Amino acid sequence: MAGHDGNEGLPSQSVMYSQLQPWSQAGAPPCMEPISGSTVPSRVAASYATTQRHPWRPKMAFEMIEVKHMPEQPVTNQMTQPCFVPQGMKTEGMIFPNLVTGFERNPQHAARAALYTRYTNNEWQNNNLSIYGESDTNRNMSERMRNDAVRLMRETDETASMGQRDAGRRLGERITDLTFWRNELNAELEKLISEMSDINDLQRQCSKAMLDLEIPLHIAQECLFHREGRQGMELVHDIVEKALLLEINHLRNSRDRLSGLHEKIAKQAIDCRGAQHLLEIDVTQKESTMGIDSMCHRLNNYSRGITYYGGIEKYDPTVSTQDSWALASSEHVKRSQAERAKLSQLRSDSQNVVNAVAASVWDFWNNTNNALDRRAQEMAGAKSRVQMHLQKVQQELFDMEKHLFLLQKAIQDKSNPLKVAQTRLEARSHREGMELCKDTAHDRLVMEVQDLQNTVDVLHHKLQEAEATHQSLLKTRCMLEEDLRNKVNALFIDREKCMSLRRSFPITNLIKY
C-alpha cells in the first residue's frame, strides 16, 4: 500500500511530528503508515472499502478489489447525470460523479469517469504538517547539538585533569606497595641466610643410622631362608613368618625413611639456595621499578622530556596484573618461610627420627623372638598330638583288617544256600504238562534266591566300603608319619637355626649417634 503513497519518502518527519501533535488531534491522516494499527483512518459515511488508500486514482493494471454495498447508500449508475452534448458531436459526453451528494463510486468506475487528480486535501495537509514538524525538529536538534558541544568541552577538560590526578595518585600508591614488599623481601632474605647452617651434621647422623640397620635386616632375611627348608604342610604362613616379614618390611621402610631424610636434607639445602636466589632477584627488580615509578610520579604538564609516543597505549608489554604481581612477591616470601620452616624442622626432628627408628627396630626384634618361642611351643604340642593320632590309627588298622576277614567269610557262607535254592528251581522246571504250576513253593524259591542274591550284594558293597576305609586308614597313617617328620624338621629349624641367630640384638647404641 505504501507504493501508491505520494509522500512515502518522509518517514522520520511524520513520526517525529506525531510526538508533538498526534494525528488524531490534527484531523488528517499521516503521510506514512504506522507500524501497527489501522493503516487508513476511518472515514465517515464511507459506502465501500478497498485495499487502496486513494481509490479514485487510476491503475495501470487490473486489481482485485472488494466492494461492500451498504443498504442506505446503494451504488448505481443512475446517480450520475449526463453532461450537455452539442449538436454534431459523434462522441458521447463525459460522465462525472455526483459531487453534490457526497457519495463515491466504485474505484474502477471513478478512475474511468473522473478527472485525473494528483493529491487530495488530506495529503496536502499532511505535507504541511510534515514540513512544520521537520523544521521544529531540525531547530531543536541544532540547539541540542550546540549545548552538547559546550558540555562536552567542559567535560573533556575536567576528565583530562581528573585522569592525570588519578594516575598520579595511583603511582603514589604503587610506590607505597613497592616499598612495603621490598622491605618484606629484605627481611625474609636475612632470616633465610641466618637459618642455612649445620646441614652436614644432619647428613652424617642419617648415614650412620642407615649403616646400623643392615645387620638386623641380614639376620631377619637369613631366618626366612632357613624357614624355607621346612617341608610339606609345615610351610605355613604362621605368626613367625608374619613377624619376620613385618620386621624386614619395617627395616626396609626405616632404611628408606632414613635415606629419604638424608636426601631431603640435601635437597633442602638446594631449595633454600633457590629461595634465596628468587628473593635477591625480586629485591633487585623492585628497587629498579621504584626508581622508574618515582620519576613517573614527578612528571607534570610542564616537565622537560615529555613527548608523543604514537600508539603506545596499544602496546601492552605487561606480563602480570596487580593481583598476580602481589601474589608473586607473596609466594616468594611464603616459599622462603616454608623453606626455613622445613630446615628448622629437619634440625629438630632428625634426632627424633633416628631414635624412633632404633626403638621400632628393637620392638620388631622382640616381637619376632616372642613369635618364634610361641611357634616352637605350638609345634611341640602339635607333634605330641600327631604321635597320639598315629597310635590310634595303627590300632584302627588292626581292627579293620579283622573286620575285612569276617565280611569275606560271611559272603562265602551264603554260597551253599544259594546253590540249594537254584538247584530246586532247576529241578522243578522239568515237570510235564499241567504240572508246571506256579505254586507257592515256586514263588517261595524265587523269593529265596532273590533274597540271597540281595544279601550277597549288600555284603559285597559293605566289603568294598571296608576296603576303601582300610586304604584311607593306610593313607592317613602315611600322612601322619610324614607330618610328624615335617614337624620335627620345622621345630629343629625354629629352635636351633633361627633362635641361635637372634639371641643378641646387633645394635648396641640405640639412642644417640
Side-chain angles (χ1 to χ4, degrees):
M1 292 173 64
H4 301 292
D5 194 349
N7 296 328
E8 61 184 2
L10 301 173
S12 61
Q13 291 85 346
S14 300
V15 175
M16 294 174 62
Y17 187 80
S18 65
Q19 297 177 359
L20 300 177
Q21 186 177 6
W23 294 111
S24 59
Q25 297 178 5
C31 62
M32 181 177 179
E33 298 179 7
I35 297 177
S36 62
S38 178
T39 58
V40 180
S42 60
R43 297 191 177 120
V44 181
S47 61
Y48 65 93
T50 68
T51 58
Q52 302 181 15
R53 291 189 56 190
H54 308 300
W56 54 83
R57 299 186 63 177
K59 293 288 291 184
M60 298 303 295
F62 291 99
E63 182 183 27
M64 296 299 295
I65 61 173
E66 180 183 2
V67 180
K68 295 183 179 179
H69 298 280
M70 298 181 65
E72 65 274 12
Q73 295 177 352
V75 179
T76 62
N77 292 331
Q78 296 177 0
M79 296 178 63
T80 62
Q81 295 179 359
C83 61
F84 176 74
V85 180
Q87 293 182 359
M89 286 189 67
K90 294 182 180 180
T91 58
E92 296 180 358
M94 296 179 62
I95 300 175
F96 297 93
N98 191 345
L99 303 178
V100 178
T101 59
F103 297 115
E104 297 177 353
R105 298 178 59 188
N106 187 281
Q108 290 185 351
H109 298 169
R112 294 188 180 95
L115 294 177
Y116 280 70
T117 56
R118 296 188 178 182
Y119 303 101
T120 63
N121 188 28
N122 289 335
E123 290 179 337
W124 179 80
Q125 292 178 359
N126 291 340
N127 184 39
N128 292 337
L129 292 175
S130 64
I131 292 174
Y132 303 154
E134 183 177 2
S135 176
D136 293 339
T137 301
N138 290 334
R139 284 187 290 103
N140 293 333
M141 186 182 300
S142 176
E143 184 178 359
R144 286 197 303 270
M145 184 65 68
R146 288 187 292 103
N147 295 332
D148 290 342
V150 174
R151 178 180 54 80
L152 181 60
M153 288 185 290
R154 293 176 181 175
E155 288 180 355
T156 52
D157 292 340
E158 184 66 23
T159 301
S161 59
M162 288 181 62
Q164 194 174 86
R165 288 196 302 269
D166 187 63
R169 181 175 59 82
R170 297 295 176 86
L171 284 171
E173 294 176 355
R174 185 63 175 171
I175 292 173
T176 303
D177 294 340
L178 283 169
T179 304
F180 169 77
W181 282 112
R182 184 196 61 180
N183 296 336
E184 289 291 326
L185 292 170
N186 282 327
E188 184 60 32
L189 182 60
E190 294 176 358
K191 293 179 182 178
L192 180 62
I193 293 174
S194 63
E195 288 287 338
M196 293 176 61
S197 62
D198 299 335
I199 297 181
N200 294 330
D201 293 338
L202 298 178
Q203 293 179 345
R204 183 185 61 82
Q205 292 178 4
C206 290
S207 299
K208 177 66 168 58
M210 285 190 292
L211 290 176
D212 289 339
L213 292 179
E214 294 298 329
I215 298 177
L217 179 60
H218 175 72
I219 292 174
Q221 290 176 346
E222 284 295 325
C223 290
L224 276 181
F225 293 151
H226 286 312
R227 287 176 61 83
E228 288 297 323
R230 295 176 296 173
Q231 298 177 356
M233 287 300 297
E234 295 307 315
L235 284 170
V236 64
H237 187 63
D238 53 5
I239 57 175
V240 178
E241 187 171 354
K242 293 179 181 178
L244 284 172
L245 291 175
L246 287 175
E247 183 179 1
I248 292 174
N249 187 33
H250 175 71
L251 288 171
R252 289 177 178 174
N253 291 337
S254 299
R255 184 178 61 184
D256 295 339
R257 183 180 178 187
L258 292 174
S259 178
L261 181 62
H262 186 273
E263 294 177 359
K264 189 182 295 184
I265 294 171
K267 183 178 180 298
Q268 189 60 38
I270 299 175
D271 293 341
C272 290
R273 187 66 187 89
Q276 179 183 354
H277 179 68
L278 289 177
L279 289 175
E280 291 173 352
I281 291 177
D282 203 353
V283 169
T284 303
Q285 292 177 352
K286 280 182 171 49
E287 288 178 351
S288 175
T289 305
M290 282 184 63
I292 296 174
D293 286 350
S294 299
M295 182 271 294
C296 293
H297 187 259
R298 291 192 298 269
L299 288 177
N300 54 40
N301 294 334
Y302 306 100
S303 298
R304 299 180 61 183
I306 59 175
T307 184
Y308 287 110
Y309 294 93
I312 189 64
E313 71 281 357
K314 299 179 182 179
Y315 173 65
D316 188 8
T318 59
V319 295
S320 63
T321 62
Q322 187 168 356
D323 294 336
S324 62
W325 170 83
L327 182 61
S329 298
S330 176
E331 290 295 332
H332 292 165
V333 174
K334 289 180 180 179
R335 177 180 176 180
S336 177
Q337 291 175 351
E339 299 301 335
R340 287 193 300 108
K342 291 179 183 178
L343 184 56
S344 178
Q345 190 69 26
L346 284 175
R347 280 181 182 163
S348 60
D349 292 349
S350 61
Q351 188 65 39
N352 296 332
V353 170
V354 172
N355 293 337
V357 167
S360 61
V361 169
W362 171 254
D363 292 338
F364 277 94
W365 182 271
N366 286 333
N367 290 336
T368 304
N369 290 345
N370 295 332
L372 278 169
D373 291 336
R374 292 195 300 271
R375 183 59 179 171
Q377 295 175 6
E378 183 180 359
M379 202 174 300
K383 174 188 171 184
S384 301
R385 289 191 292 272
V386 168
Q387 290 176 346
M388 180 183 63
H389 282 283
L390 185 59
Q391 294 175 359
K392 292 181 179 180
V393 168
Q394 189 68 30
Q395 182 64 36
E396 186 65 26
L397 278 172
F398 179 74
D399 296 339
M400 181 57 68
E401 290 174 355
K402 293 192 300 181
H403 185 68
L404 288 173
F405 177 75
L406 293 176
L407 284 174
Q408 292 174 356
K409 186 177 181 307
I411 293 173
Q412 293 175 359
D413 292 341
K414 301 298 183 295
S415 176
N416 291 329
L418 182 61
K419 291 178 182 180
V420 172
Q422 290 179 351
T423 301
R424 288 176 177 176
L425 283 175
E426 196 277 335
R428 285 174 61 85
S429 64
H430 293 285
R431 291 176 295 172
E432 296 178 357
M434 291 299 293
E435 296 302 323
L436 284 172
C437 178
K438 190 176 181 180
D439 52 5
T440 57
H442 179 79
D443 292 338
R444 184 66 187 88
L445 287 173
V446 172
M447 185 180 300
E448 182 182 2
V449 171
Q450 291 177 352
D451 291 341
L452 288 173
Q453 288 177 349
N454 291 335
T455 302
V456 171
D457 291 339
V458 171
L459 289 174
H460 276 289
H461 182 70
K462 186 61 67 175
L463 179 61
Q464 292 175 358
E465 290 181 355
E467 289 176 351
T469 304
H470 183 263
Q471 294 297 323
S472 177
L473 288 173
L474 290 175
K475 182 179 179 181
T476 302
R477 184 181 66 178
C478 294
M479 181 184 65
L480 289 174
E481 290 174 351
E482 183 181 2
D483 189 62
L484 181 61
R485 183 171 60 253
N486 293 338
K487 280 183 170 53
V488 171
N489 182 40
L491 189 60
F492 173 77
I493 291 174
D494 287 345
R495 281 183 176 176
E496 301 300 330
K497 291 185 177 181
C498 294
M499 291 301 295
S500 62
L501 294 173
R502 305 180 64 87
R503 286 194 173 92
S504 61
F505 188 61
I507 302 177
T508 56
N509 193 356
L510 297 178
I511 304 300
K512 295 181 180 180
Y513 291 93

